[in-house]
Amino acid sequence: MDFDFTPEEEAFRAEVQAFIQAHIPKSGTAEEIQAWQKAVREKRWVGFSWPEEVGGGGGGIAQQVILKDEMAKARAPALGSCFMGLAWVGPALTEYGTDEQKQTFIPDILDGKVQWCTGYSEPDSGSDLASLKCKCVRDGDTYIVNGQKIWTSIAMWSQWIILLVRTSGDGSKHDGITCLLVPMDSEGITVRPIKNMSGGAVFAEVFFDDVRVPVENRLGEEGQGWKVTVSALAHERSSIAEVQGLQRSLAELKDLARSCKKNGRSAAEDPGIRGRIARADARIEAMRLNGMRYLTAQLRGEKLGSETSVNKLHRAELEVEIGELALEIQGSRGPLAKGADEVPADGKWQRMALSWPEVVIGGGTPNIQRNIIAERILGLPKDL
Ligand SMILES: Cc1cc2nc3c(=O)[nH]c(=O)nc-3n(C[C@H](O)[C@H](O)[C@H](O)COP(=O)(O)OP(=O)(O)OC[C@H]3O[C@@H](n4cnc5c(N)ncnc54)[C@H](O)[C@@H]3O)c2cc1C
């Protein structure tokens, strides 16, 4: 297997590195970040893999990997400022949107002028998303929505929500789902923030009480919302750059171990800690090689399927392991919080240790990933 990039791809890497050197915010002021966002947008690196006709970069997958990789290595600010808009609303619009919807929504997503949130999960529909119940009936040219969503990240700061509703209870549970694009200031929407265990509130419950949505805001056909969602989520085409983040965390963890004492000597010399760090290092390398395998398959024109669950599971486990190890290395300082005199790195590791649900649960829990790996990759019998 050849993991080398072509001379053209390496030239693109050099271009990305030079751009980062010239534009990366040095002191992190709001003006600098805005200038950065403007520069990456002008380069068409926001929506890099989207078709040029909708305003994207028309980039190839190998270049996309290089771009994300170099950005992650340099710790550059995100490419674009509307995460969910870029991750799945835009791709779904590109594939299923009417010309009018594309013209209305895509430029604002690329320019970061509007924030989108995702209204999929409900109190009884998370892993089994297709069991969702949020009710939607058609009344002439409008849909009327009644029901509740939960864990809706950044709902309180979003102008739009991509919403899955049930328009029919007939046929298979996947058949009666419809996708709507709804302004968050519509009459009848109530957003109630939920506090997480680190004390902040980044997600919310969202209630819909006779919310009227014009039929023209439907994305795809009525009853085809499941198809729209599955294909939109599949657009996130590579997870290789995530490895960079883990490698960085581990490097910082090694520094932390060098600076803390365990049993009277450097924690970095403790055999137990060394063993766990080495194990994490090896797993990250396994993830990187797995990512390269996915990339090779995609470059051959193969579609990615369940394989990505392997890296999703590894990443979830590693984030938890690194967070827990960091607290253990700090010994009696582990339980301290931001603001305490003795806490290393201003409580950064404590925050990391408390924010694992984001990477572990968001996008599918470890049990669900294990089921996917067991059933679809290993061919084991179906879960009951
Ligand atoms: C930080 C964060 C942000 C999120 N943001 C959003 C968002 O913006 N929009 C949105 O719509 N949702 C969001 N979610 C919701 C997320 O997608 C769901 O929480 C997730 O899909 C799990 O669903 P659930 O919470 O209903 O748990 P459940 O599905 O009830 O699962 C509970 C437990 O049972 C296990 N389980 C369930 N089914 C099976 C099975 N068949 N086999 C084995 N074990 C099983 C699960 O693994 C889990 O351990 C977010 C979640 C988090 C943590």
Side-chain angles (χ1 to χ4, degrees), residues 45-272:
W45 285 351
V46 182
F48 177 77
S49 62
W50 299 7
E52 285 175 2
E53 56 273 21
V54 298
I61 182 152
Q63 289 169 314
Q64 188 188 22
V65 167
I66 291 168
L67 179 62
K68 283 170 112 185
D69 209 31
E70 292 301 324
M71 292 286 169
K73 256 192 239 164
R75 298 182 185 213
L79 290 166
S81 54
C82 174
F83 169 71
M84 284 180 251
L86 289 167
W88 44 80
V89 182
L93 279 160
T94 305
E95 197 165 345
Y96 292 98
T98 61
D99 286 344
E100 206 183 330
Q101 286 172 337
K102 287 180 196 167
Q103 279 159 21
T104 308
F105 297 115
I106 291 185
D108 282 352
I109 291 174
L110 290 170
D111 291 337
K113 284 192 185 147
V114 294
Q115 284 300 333
W116 283 79
C117 61
T118 309
Y120 294 170
S121 302
E122 295 179 12
D124 292 319
S125 301
S127 302
D128 181 16
L129 182 60
S131 66
L132 64 89
K133 295 189 192 68
C134 189
K135 199 173 156 199
C136 178
V137 287
R138 189 163 172 166
D139 177 25
D141 285 345
T142 53
Y143 285 111
I144 304 173
V145 180
N146 277 290
Q148 184 196 340
K149 295 287 166 180
I150 194 166
W151 312 126
T152 318
S153 300
I154 69 163
M156 46 290 216
W157 306 303
S158 300
Q159 288 84 43
W160 286 82
I161 183 167
I162 182 165
L163 186 68
L164 288 183
V165 291
R166 180 155 300 285
T167 34
S168 159
D170 301 336
S172 107
K173 63 183 176 182
H174 298 94
D175 287 340
I177 295 173
T178 298
C179 184
L180 299 178
L181 309 172
V182 186
M184 285 299 281
D185 61 2
S186 307
E187 209 181 316
I189 294 186
T190 308
V191 177
R192 202 188 290 160
I194 305 172
K195 220 180 208 181
N196 65 26
M197 65 177 156
S198 57
V202 286
F203 39 58
E205 297 176 288
V206 185
F207 298 88
F208 297 83
D209 184 11
D210 281 336
V211 176
R212 299 187 81 91
V213 184
V215 167
E216 68 206 36
N217 282 20
R218 188 185 67 217
L219 183 57
E221 295 302 312
E222 189 173 299
Q224 295 295 304
W226 189 256
K227 203 165 94 184
V228 174
T229 306
V230 169
S231 103
L233 291 176
H235 271 85
E236 182 49 23
R237 297 193 296 175
S238 92
S239 56
I240 296 176
E242 288 169 11
V243 174
Q244 288 285 352
L246 285 167
Q247 280 171 340
R248 229 172 32 225
S249 287
L250 196 68
E252 287 170 8
L253 188 80
K254 289 177 191 169
D255 288 341
L256 180 76
R258 286 184 202 105
S259 70
C260 291
K261 289 248 183 297
K262 189 166 167 108
N263 298 329
R265 57 180 182 166
S266 162
E269 290 172 35
D270 180 87

Side-chain angles (χ1 to χ4, degrees), residues 276-310:
R276 281 165 72 183
I277 289 178
R279 212 172 102 86
D281 229 339
R283 288 185 77 176
I284 296 172
E285 180 59 7
M287 271 182 76
R288 192 184 69 81
L289 294 173
N290 240 348
M292 295 305 271
R293 280 179 22 182
Y294 306 154
L295 174 62
T296 309
Q298 285 172 295
L299 290 174
R300 279 199 211 112
E302 294 165 24
K303 270 202 158 182
L304 275 192
S306 338
E307 305 90 304
T308 49
S309 285
V310 177

